[in-house]
Amino acid sequence: MAPERITILGGGLAGSEAAWQAARRGVEVDLYEMRPQVPTPAHQTAMLGELVCSNSLKSDRENTAPWLLKEELRRAGSLLLEVARQCAVPAGQALAVDRGRFAAGITEAIEQASLIRVHREEMREIPADSIVVVATGPLTSDALANSIQTLTGSERLFFYDSISPIVDADTIDASKVFSASRYGKGIQASETKQVGDRSSGENAAEAAEGDYLNCPLGEEEYQRFYDALLTAESVLPHHFEDLNYFEGCLPIEELARRGRDTLRFGPMKPVGLRDPRSGKLPHAVVQLRRENLRIDSYNLVGFQNHLKFGEQKRILRLIPGLESAEFLRYGQIHRNTYINAPLLLAPTLQLRSQPRIFFAGQICGVEGYVESMATGLMAGIHGACLALAGDTPVSPPRATACGSLCHYITHADTLNYQPANMAFDLLPPLCAATPANRDKKQRHALQCQIALGKFDQWLAAQQKVPALAGPFRA
Ligand SMILES: Cc1cc2nc3c(=O)[nH]c(=O)nc-3n(C[C@H](O)[C@H](O)[C@H](O)COP(=O)(O)OP(=O)(O)OC[C@H]3O[C@@H](n4cnc5c(N)ncnc54)[C@H](O)[C@@H]3O)c2cc1C
């Protein structure tokens, strides 16, 4: 008997990965993506797997929590991670990608996969007659959000988040900024030269070393910037305090309200960024991360905000090096949609009340690109397990990054639930207190070793995976 088909709602990070994983296992997939017919407030193309803000997939340094998650994805044959590696841009010890090439690579692979049929259509309801993966993300369309709300009986499905501005590289004053990664952990300009090959040759990033451009502020410049920020006009001045923000992505004006030095200990912290011209640490720093391989634009790291556009232009131009900056995108506020996962989901990402419905990506209560990819990967594997043999899927063990993420979202406090990024504190603590695991680095290395061992065992117990034809054959 042919396996059941799987219907996937949303062709973003989670939905694309889920589709790929199910198809790899021989299951036919109907993937519904509403763009370009119905746009979202953040996506700019019709491509699958589009990154809506930063181009960073976080640290790639061995034995860090974000690395562990990516390593598990790599071992499980993640399409998106493979594409990311193929279009990586230099970003110190982080994995950052050329977002255009990333989305194009995913779109091509998915559209060419013979078992995946892509439908460009908004799904307004969850289909009743199929195994379904809901992966419509933080910007789920209103109609579907209402239908999910009815299905799950959720009172509240939204909170608020914000995105950073992007500046045109040619409008940065190269004489005022310096190029460096924190603690010199980047790679040298000579190694990255081929990617900064702009015809003008005047791009500030080509001039010096390190992957980030840094705008140094002296004490007076910082105070002036801070005062201007505090009095700037916001888009939503009257609702400010009512908005339910995600703590990990607070707008800078909101952080500034917490104290004069909060920004200097947050997104503007100067530690590890000595200005090569003065040999000193600046009072504060604004870091700019390259957006793509062409190095024609930079993201202001951690500068998400929802000030009025005119105000952003005025205030950001107070930053040394950005006096004449042209902004390609301003910071914005956006809605974030997610279900109360600890109340509703099993660790296999199945709706407890209707196990044929899976949730993956941001909507299932994780936060972040790679976390969305990871839950997409698991939903694809679990969905295929159900479709192929009617088997009960088994979540990866809690000691793995993927398993700990699912454990957190399904066991956290249900009151005021906040989505999670991958972090070591999601993993179970090591039992034995040896001198070695009292050292943080060694402890993390050991946790990673245990996690990967258990993840390999779990993977081996999943169905044998036939290779799919196409450029991203696992
Ligand atoms: C503005 C913004 C900025 C963010 N910035 C970052 C960041 O810098 N770093 C980070 O790690 N995370 C960031 N996130 C959080 C999160 O990691 C990303 O949103 C990520 O893309 C989530 O992946 P996803 O697959 O869950 O959703 P998405 O990638 O958004 O994919 C969901 C897809 O579903 C489609 N869709 C929606 N409704 C329907 C429907 N009814 N029918 C059919 N299709 C539908 C959408 O068009 C979209 O393509 C940001 C989120 C937002 C909204």
Side-chain angles (χ1 to χ4, degrees):
M1 202 172 72
E4 256 192 272
R5 300 177 74 87
I6 295 186
T7 305
I8 297 181
L9 315 188
L13 301 180
S16 300
E17 185 65 55
W20 183 260
Q21 292 301 330
R24 280 181 83 200
R25 287 164 172 79
V27 176
E28 289 189 63
V29 174
D30 289 296
L31 175 63
Y32 287 86
E33 169 50 57
M34 68 178 185
R35 290 176 290 120
Q37 277 81 4
V38 181
T40 78
H43 292 84
Q44 291 177 354
T45 72
M47 287 192 278
L48 304 175
E50 180 183 331
L51 298 179
V52 284
C53 183
S54 142
N55 60 343
S56 171
L57 304 188
K58 299 219 182 120
S59 179
D60 214 12
R61 190 155 50 89
E62 207 169 321
N63 295 334
T64 58
W67 170 83
L68 176 62
L69 186 59
K70 287 194 278 290
E71 180 57 19
E72 289 184 5
L73 291 188
R74 187 188 69 75
R75 292 178 183 212
S78 158
L79 167 72
L80 272 68
L81 193 69
E82 170 65 17
V83 178
R85 297 250 178 250
Q86 292 184 16
C87 54
V89 298
Q93 296 196 320
L95 173 63
V97 300
D98 179 318
R99 62 172 75 229
R101 289 184 57 209
F102 178 67
I106 294 165
T107 309
E108 189 189 339
I110 295 285
E111 285 180 344
Q112 283 180 3
S114 56
L115 293 182
I116 304 175
R117 202 182 319 152
V118 180
H119 308 260
R120 297 289 184 166
E121 188 183 325
E122 178 192 10
M123 290 297 272
R124 301 173 68 86
E125 289 191 342
I126 298 179
D129 52 351
S130 168
I131 297 173
V132 180
V133 177
V134 182
T136 43
L139 304 168
T140 294
S141 71
D142 287 345
L144 186 66
N146 289 337
S147 138
I148 293 170
Q149 208 155 3
T150 311
L151 175 79
T152 57
S154 306
E155 285 166 24
R156 187 147 189 216
L157 215 55
F158 315 122
F159 76 137
Y160 287 88
D161 236 337
S162 43
I163 59 175
S164 301
I166 293 177
V167 59
D168 181 340
D170 283 337
T171 64
I172 300 169
D173 183 346
S175 69
K176 300 221 173 131
V177 302
F178 63 95
S179 191
S181 293
R182 221 175 274 286
Y183 301 112
K185 283 185 175 162
I187 36 180
Q188 305 301 299
S190 55
E191 294 173 46
T192 65
K193 203 69 171 183
Q194 77 280 7
V195 297
D197 190 23
R198 282 168 64 96
S199 51
S200 74
E202 287 167 4
N203 196 333
E206 292 177 42
E209 296 177 340
D211 294 342
Y212 292 82
L213 287 186
N214 300 281
C215 309
L217 287 88
E219 186 166 358
E220 227 172 86
E221 289 162 327
Y222 177 78
Q223 303 303 355
R224 193 159 54 107
F225 173 79
Y226 178 81
D227 290 334
L229 183 60
L230 266 197
T231 53
E233 251 190 283
S234 160
V235 177
L236 293 162
H238 303 303
H239 306 126
F240 227 1
E241 41 314 312
D242 296 338
L243 295 180
N244 188 14
Y245 283 115
F246 174 54
E247 270 294 312
C249 196
L250 283 176
I252 46 165
E253 66 275 22
E254 194 64 14
L255 276 176
R257 258 175 254 286
R258 298 183 175 187
R260 189 161 278 273
D261 280 326
T262 317
L263 290 171
R264 287 186 58 235
F265 290 98
M268 295 177 77
K269 66 174 181 276
V271 290
L273 290 169
R274 204 165 285 283
D275 187 337
R277 291 159 305 189
S278 65
K280 292 185 182 152
L281 283 188
H283 188 70
V285 162
V286 176
Q287 282 208 296
L288 310 179
R289 181 179 51 230
R290 53 184 77 170
E291 267 288 296
N292 52 32
L293 281 172
R294 297 187 303 281
I295 318 186
D296 57 7
S297 53
Y298 281 84
N299 195 298
L300 276 72
V301 179
F303 260 58
Q304 54 273 8
N305 73 85
H306 62 77
L307 303 175
K308 286 188 170 166
F309 288 177
E311 289 287 80
Q312 291 192 42
K313 186 170 178 176
R314 180 175 70 80
I315 287 161
L316 297 176
R317 282 182 167 188
L318 295 174
I319 297 168
L322 302 187
E323 292 87 348
S324 308
E326 292 300 333
F327 294 95
L328 303 176
R329 183 187 74 192
Y330 285 106
Q332 285 164 42
I333 184 166
H334 64 84
R335 201 179 72 184
N336 193 352
T337 310
Y338 62 87
I339 58 171
N340 191 344
L343 198 64
L344 300 167
L345 291 188
T348 46
L349 305 175
Q350 290 166 286
L351 205 56
R352 288 199 185 117
S353 59
Q354 297 193 42
R356 287 165 63 80
I357 302 178
F358 294 80
F359 279 80
Q362 189 99 353
I363 197 167
C364 82
V366 292
E367 169 65 28
Y369 294 151
V370 184
E371 289 79 353
S372 297
M373 288 156 54
T375 48
L377 179 132
M378 285 181 277
I381 295 177
H382 296 328
C385 173
L386 201 59
L388 285 167
D391 270 359
T392 311
V394 178
S395 175
R398 191 182 160 204
T400 65
C402 285
S404 68
L405 205 51
C406 291
H407 184 270
Y408 169 79
I409 65 170
T410 53
H411 291 81
D413 187 3
T414 54
L415 287 175
N416 199 18
Y417 174 67
Q418 293 265 313
N421 285 119
M422 182 58 211
F424 277 112
D425 58 8
L426 300 189
L427 291 168
L430 296 172
C431 311
T434 64
N437 67 32
R438 269 197 287 274
D439 172 82
K440 199 160 105 181
K441 265 194 177 167
Q442 291 189 38
R443 194 169 64 240
H444 288 171
L446 186 56
Q447 282 179 297
C448 288
Q449 193 191 337
I450 293 171
L452 292 174
K454 291 198 180 285
F455 191 75
D456 285 346
Q457 281 170 10
W458 173 80
L459 256 187
Q462 304 307 303
Q463 286 98 353
K464 290 266 170 293
V465 180
L468 261 192
F472 299 105
R473 194 191 308 256

